[in-house]
Amino acid sequence: SYVVTQPPSVSVAPGKTARITCGGNNIGSKSVHWYQQKPGQAPVVVIYYDSDRPSGIPERFSGSNSGNTATLTISRVEAGDEADYYCQVWDSSSDQIFGGGTKLTVL
Amino acid sequence: QITLKESGPTLVKPTQTLTLTCTFSGFSLSTSGVGVGWIRQPPGKALEWLALIYWDDDKRYSSSLKSRLTITKDTSKNQVVLTMTNVDPVDTAAYYCARSRGTQTYYFDYWGQGTLVTVSS
């Protein structure tokens, strides 16, 4: 079965850039979606199909996907960006897969 | 306005069958390309995809839980029902339903608030 790996935590100072990765074998050939989940709330999609951004999501959120790593980039990080972030991919052997999640801490 | 809401028991005994209902509004599950899925999240842990039903009644299940899950839809009532048999304390989790966009490589664009289900005797 296909496995995706996220770092458990990422820390960043306000105003800096945060990069959260989602690693998997040849993940660049797959479509990756990213969700933000704040405590006690349902997840919200922030990036879909690698790099598309839903309406209402700030332009500070962007995504890329190549080789064995997909990356969610958050520019000019704000305190309100502190949350758990999950990647989601589809694989023929496992259907839908969520990553283990990354806790973003704003210092 | 698109909304989804999960309903069902908050406490279930081990070995029992869990039935959860997702009632939605603002879209139709008979529209091509639309699906409704279920995702769960044990306390303090990651999201886990469970199942999805497409507008054409195609159904997909998590391979690890396939033998215990059944997903159905009632288009006239705007509801999707997930049944999980033989529950165990490890099934304790928040259960979410969500609308999907696309096929196979879909993403979830609208989510319900989630419902916490505890499995305990």
Side-chain angles (χ1 to χ4, degrees), chain A residues 31 33 35 37 40-45 47-49 54 84 86 88 90 93-101, chain B residues 39 41 45-49 54 60-63 96 101-114:
Chain A
S31 295
H33 316 301
Y35 300 88
Q37 186 181 33
Q41 298 183 18
V44 172
V45 61
I47 293 291
Y48 62 97
Y49 291 123
D84 293 327
Y86 295 91
Q88 176 206 348
W90 175 85
S93 65
S94 307
D95 214 304
Q96 301 301 323
I97 305 161
F98 283 99
Chain B
I39 305 98
Q41 184 174 38
K45 297 189 177 181
L47 302 170
E48 179 184 18
W49 175 77
Y54 288 103
R60 305 289 176 176
Y61 296 101
S62 164
S63 56
Y96 298 95
R101 296 296 303 276
T103 57
Q104 279 193 341
T105 60
Y106 57 78
Y107 65 99
F108 296 106
D109 59 350
Y110 289 91
W111 293 62
Q113 64 190 22

Side-chain angles (χ1 to χ4, degrees), chain B:
Chain B
Q1 180 187 6
I2 292 174
T3 64
L4 302 97
K5 187 172 184 179
E6 307 85 354
S7 60
T10 57
L11 180 64
V12 184
K13 289 181 167 49
T15 75
Q16 288 186 337
T17 295
L18 170 65
T19 299
L20 295 170
T21 300
C22 176
T23 303
F24 57 86
S25 63
F27 68 96
S28 172
L29 198 40
S30 58
T31 300
S32 178
V34 174
V36 172
W38 288 91
I39 305 98
R40 72 178 179 180
Q41 184 174 38
K45 297 189 177 181
L47 302 170
E48 179 184 18
W49 175 77
L50 300 178
L52 183 127
I53 189 164
Y54 288 103
W55 80 99
D56 60 358
D57 209 38
D58 187 16
K59 302 166 187 176
R60 305 289 176 176
Y61 296 101
S62 164
S63 56
S64 63
L65 292 166
K66 185 173 184 177
S67 64
R68 298 172 54 208
L69 297 176
T70 302
I71 190 169
T72 60
K73 65 180 175 72
D74 186 329
T75 305
S76 64
K77 292 183 178 179
N78 282 349
Q79 290 183 331
V80 170
V81 175
L82 181 73
T83 301
M84 177 183 290
T85 61
N86 193 27
V87 297
D88 181 271
V90 300
D91 297 314
T92 294
Y95 285 77
Y96 298 95
C97 65
R99 187 183 81 158
S100 68
R101 296 296 303 276
T103 57
Q104 279 193 341
T105 60
Y106 57 78
Y107 65 99
F108 296 106
D109 59 350
Y110 289 91
W111 293 62
Q113 64 190 22
T115 185
L116 180 61
V117 177
T118 301
V119 180
S120 175
S121 55

